[in-house]
Amino acid sequence: MTTDEPLADLLTHGELTVRGRIREASNAALYCTISHEGREEACIYKPVAGERPLWDFPDGNLARREVAAYEVSEATGWGLVPPTVLREGPYGEGMVQLWIEVSPEAELLALVDGEEPEPGWKAIGFAEVGEGKTALLVHADDERLRRLAVLDAVINNADRKGGHLLPTADGRLYAIDHGVTFNTENKLRTLLWGWAGEPLAPEAVDVLKSLQEALAAQGALAMRLAALITEAELDATRARVAVLLETGKHPEPSGEWPAIPWPPV
């Protein structure tokens, strides 16, 4: 998906009106409407001033990482991240992202009995469900999720939870909350381990080759990311793409970092 020009113009230049706060968010996330030249949409505004310091990420740049994740998503052609821009708002600089309405009927995660997943599902691992009982946590064997697993491996997503998956009524899948990405160290934490160690789909290999070209020095994507992440982080992104192409496989947990985020949803 490529963001249409009127929508990009709306997000970049529109008037933001704060309507409320997303209380479940760990950093300040404000629900807003944005209007420009007769068009109005709902969006999320995350001001840098509302970011909580993290020991393993520099202060004040989570918003830029959110925008960088969108840029990489757009470069894949998969359109997995909602349109996102960096701009000034009522509380200073922050990221502004189009609000996505979720289809409640879509089921991408489940807890099931048994040792193995049913057809159409991929195993993540066992989870405690209370009273000393465990259940198998599974995710759908879904092409959209498999694409997202590749994107997360490229951007080194340290926090892919179930609540970050936004399926829509028209069959699309969007993913949100990409502030803890692009670290130079391997920090991949995700619920999408169902394909770990399996060969990449031919489509993914083609996309990764295109990303490698776009990330080369003076490449279009590299130029955009250079304004959002550090040169070391950009080099690490290039290295992750190279490793994925060299191995031809989805990554596996490293054992050096908790593989699944907590809470998982």
Side-chain angles (χ1 to χ4, degrees):
M1 180 196 70
T2 300
T3 305
D4 62 81
E5 289 186 11
L7 179 54
D9 196 47
L10 170 70
L11 292 175
T12 303
H13 303 293
E15 181 179 356
L16 277 170
T17 302
V18 177
R19 302 297 185 183
R21 180 172 181 173
I22 310 299
R23 296 191 178 276
E24 296 82 3
S26 56
N27 296 292
L30 306 177
Y31 177 77
C32 303
T33 53
I34 188 166
S35 57
H36 184 62
E37 296 183 345
R39 181 174 183 177
E40 182 174 279
E41 299 284 353
C43 66
I44 291 293
Y45 163 50
K46 295 183 180 179
V48 171
E51 295 178 3
R52 295 181 181 179
L54 298 173
W55 68 268
D56 51 349
F57 285 84
D59 292 349
N61 69 359
L62 302 188
R64 282 179 164 77
R65 295 171 193 276
E66 296 250 25
V67 179
Y70 167 70
E71 292 289 355
V72 176
S73 170
E74 288 296 280
T76 66
W78 290 333
L80 293 166
V81 178
T84 311
V85 302
L86 187 73
R87 55 160 289 175
E88 288 293 320
Y91 300 103
E93 185 182 71
M95 95 59 178
V96 173
Q97 185 176 79
L98 186 69
W99 177 266
I100 301 297
E101 292 292 341
V102 177
S103 172
E105 291 80 17
E107 188 176 22
L108 298 175
L109 297 167
L111 284 167
V112 299
D113 295 325
E115 301 289 324
E116 298 292 335
E118 296 291 329
W121 295 88
K122 305 289 282 187
I124 303 168
F126 290 95
E128 294 185 8
V129 293
E131 299 180 357
K133 297 181 180 180
T134 61
L136 183 63
L137 182 62
V138 297
H139 66 68
D141 188 0
D142 186 304
E143 179 186 63
R144 300 169 301 172
L145 291 180
R146 191 167 188 175
R147 290 173 171 177
L148 184 57
V150 174
L151 176 65
D152 282 343
V154 171
I155 66 177
N156 196 17
N157 193 347
D159 193 34
R160 173 60 71 215
K161 296 178 179 177
H164 301 164
L165 307 176
L166 306 182
T168 64
D170 63 0
R172 294 189 64 99
L173 175 70
Y174 293 97
I176 59 170
D177 284 354
H178 297 103
V180 286
T181 50
F182 295 100
N183 202 295
T184 56
E185 299 179 10
N186 178 14
K187 290 185 178 290
L188 184 60
R189 289 197 308 172
T190 177
L191 287 178
L192 305 181
W193 287 118
W195 297 280
E198 293 186 14
L200 294 165
E203 173 200 43
V205 173
D206 290 340
V207 165
L208 289 167
K209 289 178 180 178
S210 295
L211 280 182
Q212 190 170 53
E213 181 177 346
L215 286 167
Q218 305 305 313
L221 180 58
M223 299 290 283
R224 292 194 294 273
L225 293 183
L228 300 166
I229 59 177
T230 68
E231 185 61 34
E233 290 165 343
L234 183 53
D235 285 341
T237 304
R238 294 182 178 114
R240 288 191 295 271
V241 171
V243 168
L244 287 167
L245 285 171
E246 181 180 349
T247 64
K249 296 180 179 180
H250 286 269
E252 298 180 80
S254 67
E256 301 173 355
W257 182 258
I260 297 176
W262 189 262
V265 177

